[in-house]
Amino acid sequence: CHQTVCLLARFLESNGILTVVIGSAMDIVEHCGAPRYLHNDFPLGNPCGVPFDAQMQLEIMRLGLQLLEKADKGGSIERSPFHWKDDLWRADYAAVDDSNAEELRLRGARRRQQQIDDKAAGNSRASMISDA
């Protein structure tokens, strides 16, 4: 998703429309070259803050608009001063251990089989599969 947003932002910028990407995946955004990027060190899927924290969300939007006003060149990156309500999400993010290794192996095998099936059916892109 971050890649698509960055590519769209670059397209819009090339057509004279200024953009700011607000997100949580610094490595992807740096690689894709978003024109302006406001980074929040939050769990993926929460780029504008803690759910239901309207004050934080408004402030993040304000920071994004300020970045739009002041950044006069592409590749401008700023970090917001906000922190997630706790850091417990970090322990689970991309964790592989004895408790989930077999489940992840099976999910990978299902995904590879889905890609083989999609290719055999003539699909140019593999479909999404559920986590179930």
Side-chain angles (χ1 to χ4, degrees):
C1 182
H2 279 80
Q3 293 169 323
T4 303
V5 170
C6 290
L7 292 173
L8 179 59
R10 287 174 46 198
F11 174 79
L12 292 171
E13 292 268 342
S14 71
N15 286 283
I17 300 171
L18 300 179
T19 64
V20 173
V21 173
I22 300 174
S24 304
M26 178 76 79
D27 55 341
I28 295 171
V29 173
E30 283 180 328
H31 177 74
C32 294
R36 287 164 209 82
Y37 177 59
L38 177 62
H39 178 73
N40 290 306
D41 191 18
F42 298 155
L44 293 178
N46 298 280
C48 291
V50 175
F52 309 109
D53 187 338
Q55 190 62 38
M56 176 189 281
Q57 294 164 2
L58 286 170
E59 183 62 20
I60 289 170
M61 297 308 297
R62 187 184 67 73
L63 291 171
L65 291 171
Q66 284 179 343
L67 179 58
L68 186 66
E69 287 179 336
K70 71 181 181 180
D72 57 354
K73 62 181 172 72
S76 298
I77 296 175
E78 289 201 6
R79 294 176 182 262
S80 81
F82 295 102
H83 299 280
W84 196 248
K85 53 190 168 191
D86 59 49
D87 276 345
L88 297 176
W89 65 275
R90 292 182 190 283
D92 288 335
Y93 180 75
V96 177
D97 58 30
D98 290 340
S99 72
N100 66 358
E102 181 62 14
E103 174 194 353
L104 294 173
R105 187 192 68 74
L106 292 172
R107 287 173 62 185
R110 283 196 312 268
R111 179 65 179 155
R112 284 186 294 281
Q113 186 60 52
Q114 181 68 49
Q115 290 170 324
I116 291 167
D117 295 346
D118 283 344
K119 189 172 186 177
N123 297 330
S124 61
R125 295 190 62 161
S127 59
M128 299 297 293
I129 61 171
S130 71
D131 288 339

